[in-house]
Amino acid sequence: MKRALIPGTFDPITGGHLDVISRASQLVDEIVVGVAASPSKNPLFSLEERVALAREATAHLPNVEVLPFNCLLVDFAQDIDAQILIKGLRAITDFEYEFQMTALNYQINKAIETVFIMSPPEYMYLSSSIVREIASLHGDVSGFVPVCVKDALEAKFA
């Protein structure tokens, strides 16, 4: 049985994230969406809120579970018995960063393979930071995030 880990801060989870998660869920038996604590990023939503939003947003995918983590990514992958890391790529800048991270992760644990899924054009521009900025200015984010996230952002910026 193949288990994959899709890691991220998910602050908040977006349509682009959901696209990668949904497509990946068709490639492996089980997906764990790993929500990183990422305190250095000063997330808008707490870890508990981000996990809850990701769980609600992925509830329709039967082979997906959402778990928080606050350790080295490859250690978390090993702890949950994930053989594959799946990362979404939007642009060349994503690739450069992820290429370096993949090389580092491989040096730490050669048993964990990294697979990249390219974003379709409609999500290539989309990021959590852009969504947060639009929401902070009371713009409509409904085309970029699930309803639960839209509601949570509206509540944060009310």
Side-chain angles (χ1 to χ4, degrees):
M1 187 176 269
K2 291 287 183 192
R3 176 178 253 201
L5 169 60
I6 301 178
T9 303
F10 303 106
D11 187 38
I13 193 166
T14 68
H17 294 129
L18 291 173
D19 175 74
V20 169
I21 294 165
S22 177
R23 290 166 53 204
S25 74
Q26 298 171 38
L27 301 174
V28 296
D29 301 307
E30 296 178 344
I31 296 280
V32 172
V33 174
V35 181
S38 302
S40 64
K41 291 186 175 183
N42 296 314
L44 173 66
F45 292 99
S46 71
L47 180 58
E48 295 77 18
E49 289 171 317
R50 290 181 281 131
V51 167
L53 289 170
R55 283 181 177 152
E56 187 171 347
T58 60
H60 66 288
L61 299 168
N63 64 335
V64 173
E65 77 174 301
V66 179
L67 298 173
F69 74 100
N70 189 17
C71 60
L72 200 58
L73 177 60
V74 290
D75 291 344
F76 181 60
Q78 187 171 330
D79 289 347
I80 63 166
D81 196 30
Q83 303 86 22
I84 304 165
L85 294 176
I86 296 180
K87 303 285 198 89
L89 293 178
R90 294 171 298 187
I92 294 297
T93 52
D94 283 351
F95 177 78
E96 290 174 6
Y97 174 79
E98 294 298 347
F99 185 79
Q100 290 177 327
M101 292 298 99
T102 297
L104 283 169
N105 289 339
Y106 184 76
Q107 289 302 311
I108 295 168
N109 188 334
K110 291 175 177 50
I112 299 173
E113 189 63 57
T114 301
V115 173
F116 297 104
I117 293 182
M118 297 298 301
S119 292
E122 62 264 29
Y123 295 119
M124 285 186 173
Y125 63 89
L126 189 58
S127 69
S128 294
S129 56
I130 288 172
V131 167
R132 288 191 311 271
E133 184 171 350
I134 293 168
S136 74
L137 298 169
H138 304 289
D140 181 13
V141 296
S142 59
F144 311 123
V145 296
V147 173
C148 62
V149 173
K150 175 185 167 291
D151 294 344
L153 284 165
E154 286 175 354
K156 283 279 186 192
F157 293 114

